[in-house]
Amino acid sequence: MRMRIRLIAFLCLCSVDLARATPRNLPYTEKQFEMAVACIKHFEGWHNMKAYVGYGHQVQKGERYSAKTLTKKQGDLLLRLDLMRNLYLFRGYGKDALLLSVLAYNVGPYAILGTSKRPKSRLLRKIEHGDRNIYNDYIAFCRWHGKQIPSIKFRRQVEYDLFFIR
């Protein structure tokens, strides 16, 4: 278990060092990244289930995280690693990368990117066509089992207000 934690910490530190070593032409600042982490922590809360641990990290096949032994610091590292992974996936979307990454942290990246069985989201298609009128499409990601959930809708409104860059 300790080796796994050290590996996660090492990967996180490498990601941060790599981000700092690259030219500062990123469409978001370090302050905005930290705001994204704080926003996710606030809305996700602490998970201690079998499938989700820490601040909403979905346990993947082969990962062995115990909700009973995971510390807040380890949960924070997992959140940052997941968010960095999403930023890597959405790196081609410029100033919308952080907004899409925060959304993907909650709904999963392939709900946005699409799969062979699921089309690309309307939100992403609009962004790709340069349409900046995406508020309603972003807020539409507020459903759970087909039903609109007011608390998720509020979360989307806050995320949009914080991370949408005009």
Side-chain angles (χ1 to χ4, degrees):
M1 180 69 178
R2 284 186 175 208
M3 186 62 165
R4 190 173 304 116
I5 293 167
R6 286 184 187 148
L7 180 62
I8 290 170
F10 175 73
L11 289 173
C12 232
L13 289 173
C14 286
S15 299
V16 171
D17 287 341
L18 181 62
R20 288 183 180 154
T22 57
R24 294 306 283 170
N25 59 357
L26 297 173
Y28 58 89
T29 63
E30 193 173 329
K31 183 179 178 182
Q32 288 171 315
F33 181 82
E34 292 302 322
M35 268 189 353
V37 169
C39 182
I40 291 169
K41 281 182 176 181
H42 173 75
F43 285 109
E44 285 291 333
W46 187 257
H47 293 263
N48 57 2
M49 301 179 297
K50 205 172 191 180
Y52 293 93
V53 296
Y55 295 102
H57 172 77
Q58 185 176 14
V59 179
Q60 303 296 314
K61 187 177 182 180
E63 291 181 340
R64 293 189 181 136
Y65 296 112
S66 170
K68 294 177 183 175
T69 59
L70 195 71
T71 66
K72 298 278 185 181
K73 190 170 186 175
Q74 293 164 344
D76 181 74
L77 287 173
L78 279 174
L79 185 157
R80 290 169 187 278
L81 188 61
D82 289 343
L83 189 57
M84 291 293 286
R85 188 178 300 125
N86 287 341
L87 282 165
Y88 181 78
L89 281 174
F90 293 106
R91 69 190 177 279
Y93 292 95
K95 60 185 174 183
D96 295 316
L98 188 59
L99 180 71
L100 292 169
S101 297
V102 170
L103 177 62
Y105 188 88
N106 185 239
V107 301
Y110 299 106
I112 302 165
L113 292 169
T115 64
S116 60
K117 297 179 182 178
R118 182 182 204 165
K120 201 181 285 187
S121 71
R122 187 174 1 153
L123 170 68
L124 198 61
R125 289 193 308 263
K126 275 186 157 183
I127 290 171
E128 288 175 346
H129 286 103
D131 187 349
R132 302 299 294 154
N133 186 19
I134 62 169
Y135 178 79
N136 290 329
D137 297 301
Y138 189 83
I139 299 302
F141 283 92
C142 67
R143 300 188 175 280
W144 179 253
H145 295 294
K147 185 178 176 186
Q148 184 175 333
I149 308 296
S151 61
I152 299 175
K153 185 175 182 179
F154 176 71
R155 176 181 181 164
R156 295 293 169 256
Q157 291 168 335
V158 170
E159 291 169 352
Y160 184 86
D161 289 342
L162 286 174
F163 306 113
F164 180 73
I165 300 170
R166 288 165 185 28

